[in-house]
Amino acid sequence: MTVQSWQSVQQEFNRLKDVHMRDMFAQDPQRANKFTKKACDFTLDYSKNRVDEQALTALFQLAKDHKLTEKRDAMFAGEIINKTEHRAVLHTALRRDSKDSILVDNKNVVNEVYSTLNKMKQFVAEIHNGTRTGRTGKKFTDVVAIGIGGSFLGPKIVTEALKPYQNPALKVHFVANVDAHHIVDVLAKLNADTTLVVMSSKSFTTQETLKNTETTREWFLASGAKFEDIAKHFMCVSSNTAKATEFGIDPDNIFPMWDWVGGRYSLWSAIGLPIALSIGFDNFEQILLGAREMDAHFLSTPLEDNLPVIMAVLGVWYSNFFDCQSHVLLPYSHYLRGFPAYVQQLDMESNGKSVNQLDQNIEYKTGPIIWGGEGTNGQHAFHQLMHQGNTIIPADFIMPINPNHDEVEHHQMLASNCFAQTQALMQGQTTAEIEQELLAKGVDKQEATRLAKHKYMPGNRPSNTLLMEKLTPIQLGRLIALYEHKVFVQGVIWDINSFDQWGVELGKVLGTQVLSALQDTAQPELDSSTQQLVDLFKQQIS
Ligand SMILES: O=P(O)(O)OC[C@H]1O[C@](O)(CO)[C@@H](O)[C@@H]1O
């Protein structure tokens, strides 16, 4: 980080670190209005953060000094910004207008994107209208979507979030884990004659995905199908056409992916095929359109009014100055219950880094631990620590104002809990207030003083509230793109490469070695603890 920007923000932190948001609200009746921005049908209220205009100015300057706008434009233009894998980063090309042009190796990638989208569109229509059937001529009723990480989380959470748009005649089942309890349970309910399998793996080397697909292929053949029937039932999305064909997938059934799309940024590509199969291609296009709108907002809005930038600089403020370790996502929406897990991969796989773009080790904090869960459930579980634990956890409260049901009172209760949690986190409750309450209830003075200590709510705990009118395909596209860009901005400020993921590789290599020890096909050198676990497993497995 440039020393000057760092120092300016540090000064702001020193000025504000002991100021309570209660006092900020009391002193400025315009505070909520001042720190609320509307864009892309979102309202972002970030007034319950420990900042004022001066601190925010320093934070935006930090982003400017890290050449945010230049780096953002370089990403959108297809420059090789992933410098450890020597790749462009162009998930935004997946949602561009068909008339646009972005050149990678002298090829307009937007044309490739649209030829794949057209192939998806035709495929989805054929499955939905029954012109493409299974081997016995029956219409498909189920899709088993196999993939993991970025080839799973995006399609799964989007399909789940858009339940009201799902086609009831075609049920999509997602399977990721190599733990066969999942695939076995899923397949047990299905009829192979009416089941379509979509295997998604950008690399086509991922152990879990290959194994689950093999198991599904065995199940399919055991149903009486012949080897040549596989072509009618197994589709695949991959950038590794050679490996996919070698595996037995018909080349016509391979939907392409490109190395300029990272797995965790890929739901907009053919990796989104299970989404389109579930909610229809028109709705899938709406998701792309929403993301395109958020891209336009990110590209053209001054940093001070730019939603992903505001959320990003606030995150940096808490990680690097308040020393916060985690960030919690709290969707007050059952349909968005998977969103924290999605952002967890997006953010932690992107920004969990400790070497900068100049190949130097860095000491400052980078990506926070992302976690969360749906409201109000969390209020009866982990919110205790958010309110009274001795660590600050910045929170994003996310809520659609209009639900997809007619239970008005339920929704009012949901909203009141969401808003009240932001209020409780911000204002807290002083020991004097608590003591007063206890005395009024007839508790004696000594007991009231003692209890007040335990009931004390420090408050001053920051949160953003992100409201949307309704959770629709277009709005979900905007929401996901908002978080993608937030992660990008933070990566720029931390001067890291947000687009590689070397940290997951060693586990894969060692996993293969340990497997050879479990299967007695090799005797790798293992540390005594790992060897002991292998021996125990082999002794006790029946
Ligand atoms: O699509 P693939 O190549 O099977 O990879 C799945 C996931 O595995 C990872 O490489 C991590 O192991 C993710 O980045 C990726 O989304």
Side-chain angles (χ1 to χ4, degrees):
M1 292 187 191
T2 64
V3 175
Q4 183 51 45
S5 318
W6 179 269
Q7 281 176 351
S8 312
V9 183
Q10 183 68 45
Q11 278 162 14
E12 294 306 318
F13 170 73
N14 294 342
R15 183 175 62 81
L16 289 178
K17 66 181 177 1
D18 299 321
V19 177
H20 202 290
M21 280 191 279
R22 262 185 179 216
D23 299 326
M24 290 176 164
F25 273 96
Q27 278 157 21
D28 183 0
Q30 289 306 312
R31 185 173 171 84
N33 184 40
K34 217 180 261 175
F35 299 116
T36 294
K37 294 276 184 290
K38 289 177 193 275
C40 295
D41 282 349
F42 285 116
T43 300
L44 173 66
D45 178 345
Y46 56 104
S47 62
K48 293 189 183 101
N49 278 288
R50 295 170 69 170
V51 285
D52 58 12
E53 280 157 316
Q54 193 178 312
L56 278 168
T57 303
L59 283 162
F60 291 125
Q61 192 57 45
L62 189 67
K64 287 173 194 166
D65 288 352
H66 283 84
K67 302 197 173 7
L68 172 60
T69 49
E70 291 91 324
K71 290 186 177 171
R72 174 196 66 193
D73 295 349
M75 174 174 74
F76 276 79
E79 286 180 29
I80 308 292
I81 64 164
N82 175 354
K83 292 196 173 130
T84 59
E85 295 178 308
H86 311 288
R87 290 174 181 169
V89 174
L90 273 175
H91 46 283
T92 54
L94 300 167
R95 55 230 193 186
R96 290 288 280 259
D97 190 277
S98 59
K99 292 187 272 311
D100 290 348
S101 166
I102 305 166
L103 296 182
V104 173
D105 296 332
N106 290 323
K107 261 201 243 156
N108 179 6
V109 297
V110 178
N111 288 343
E112 296 181 48
V113 165
Y114 273 86
S115 97
T116 304
L117 283 173
N118 288 335
K119 182 172 163 145
M120 286 169 71
K121 183 178 182 172
Q122 193 184 337
F123 180 75
V124 171
E126 286 170 5
I127 298 291
H128 282 191
N129 65 27
T131 49
R132 191 188 270 249
T133 62
R135 69 179 182 100
T136 57
K138 287 188 196 144
K139 228 177 146 178
F140 288 111
T141 56
D142 293 88
V143 177
V144 178
I146 302 173
I148 200 163
S151 298
F152 157 73
L153 279 160
K156 177 167 186 291
I157 70 108
V158 168
T159 306
E160 190 174 89
L162 297 175
K163 184 158 187 276
Y165 300 83
Q166 288 174 8
N167 176 353
L170 189 67
K171 208 162 182 312
V172 181
H173 313 263
F174 290 94
V175 178
N177 200 337
V178 76
D179 180 346
H181 287 117
H182 198 180
I183 191 75
V184 167
D185 282 356
V186 166
L187 296 180
K189 294 182 291 201
L190 303 182
N191 175 355
D193 291 350
T194 57
T195 298
L196 178 73
V197 181
V198 179
M199 184 260 208
S200 301
S201 176
K202 180 183 166 187
S203 60
F204 213 94
T205 58
T206 305
Q207 185 194 53
E208 294 92 329
T209 304
L210 292 175
K211 188 68 198 160
N212 277 325
T213 309
E214 276 168 13
T215 302
T216 308
R217 190 173 56 182
E218 280 162 26
W219 165 83
F220 177 69
L221 293 173
S223 74
K226 299 202 182 62
F227 197 79
E228 56 268 28
D229 295 326
I230 290 175
K232 285 202 153 173
H233 287 253
F234 282 69
M235 309 292 133
C236 142
V237 185
S238 184
S239 62
N240 196 340
T241 318
K243 278 233 183 273
T245 317
E246 198 183 299
F247 186 86
I249 308 273
D250 186 326
D252 277 351
N253 292 349
I254 301 173
F255 289 80
M257 265 277 280
W258 303 276
D259 68 3
W260 39 263
V261 184
R264 55 194 174 274
Y265 297 88
S266 66
L267 73 91
W268 325 98
S269 70
I271 291 288
L273 186 61
I275 303 173
L277 284 165
S278 177
I279 63 169
F281 192 79
D282 291 350
N283 284 321
F284 182 70
E285 274 187 320
Q286 286 292 301
I287 300 171
L288 300 183
L289 188 62
R292 193 192 305 166
E293 286 180 13
M294 184 52 75
D295 292 345
H297 168 77
F298 180 47
L299 275 169
S300 61
T301 312
L303 301 192
E304 293 74 8
D305 300 321
N306 200 308
L307 301 191
V309 178
I310 295 168
M311 290 170 72
V313 298
L314 287 168
V316 170
W317 177 241
Y318 295 118
S319 284
N320 300 104
F321 298 90
F322 285 81
D323 208 22
C324 298
Q325 286 199 320
S326 80
H327 186 99
V328 67
L329 263 70
L330 303 167
Y332 275 64
S333 157
H334 180 61
Y335 287 159
L336 280 176
R337 63 193 178 279
F339 193 61
Y342 175 79
V343 177
Q344 187 174 63
Q345 182 195 20
L346 172 67
D347 198 319
M348 293 172 75
E349 200 169 32
S350 296
N351 286 344
K353 310 284 165 64
S354 46
V355 173
N356 69 11
Q357 298 273 31
L358 295 171
D359 314 321
Q360 296 159 331
N361 293 324
I362 48 182
E363 310 257 289
Y364 51 83
K365 278 215 179 85
T366 55
I369 297 161
I370 302 286
W371 61 287
E374 68 182 296
T376 61
N377 302 14
Q379 289 176 213
H380 303 276
F382 55 78
H383 282 224
Q384 164 64 33
L385 187 144
M386 292 168 58
H387 288 291
Q388 284 193 313
N390 51 17
T391 182
I392 297 173
I393 304 172
D396 290 351
F397 288 82
I398 304 169
M399 213 193 80
I401 292 173
N402 292 289
N404 285 294
H405 59 70
D406 300 322
E407 300 294 338
V408 178
E409 207 174 335
H410 273 266
H411 200 60
Q412 287 167 340
M413 287 176 177
L414 182 72
S416 63
N417 273 288
C418 174
F419 304 156
Q421 283 296 308
T422 73
Q423 189 185 13
L425 285 165
M426 184 277 286
Q427 72 182 33
Q429 199 175 21
T430 65
T431 40
E433 286 165 350
I434 296 163
E435 234 182 280
Q436 228 23 64
E437 268 181 22
L438 290 169
L439 291 172
K441 281 186 190 153
V443 178
D444 76 60
K445 176 84 177 105
Q446 200 183 355
E447 182 67 350
T449 310
R450 189 181 76 84
L451 278 182
K453 279 196 164 177
H454 294 271
K455 296 180 106 189
Y456 168 60
M457 299 276 282
N460 220 9
R461 311 252 152 147
S463 67
N464 295 313
T465 306
L466 185 67
L467 299 178
M468 64 191 92
E469 204 215 310
K470 196 166 181 171
L471 184 60
T472 55
I474 196 166
Q475 201 60 28
L476 186 59
R478 292 169 182 146
L479 178 69
I480 296 171
L482 166 66
Y483 276 88
E484 283 182 350
H485 295 321
K486 175 199 165 185
V487 167
F488 173 79
V489 175
Q490 293 191 327
V492 168
I493 295 175
W494 289 322
D495 194 27
I496 53 179
N497 178 3
S498 301
F499 301 102
D500 60 13
Q501 57 285 318
W502 300 107
V504 301
E505 294 307 320
L506 179 61
K508 291 183 190 173
V509 173
L510 296 186
T512 308
Q513 282 179 19
V514 173
L515 184 63
S516 70
L518 288 176
Q519 295 178 333
D520 290 321
T521 54
Q523 286 176 331
E525 236 178 72
L526 303 174
D527 64 84
S528 60
S529 162
T530 311
Q531 186 64 54
Q532 174 175 269
L533 297 172
V534 166
D535 293 343
L536 253 165
F537 181 88
K538 287 188 346 195
Q539 280 157 23
Q540 292 188 19
I541 193 151
S542 43

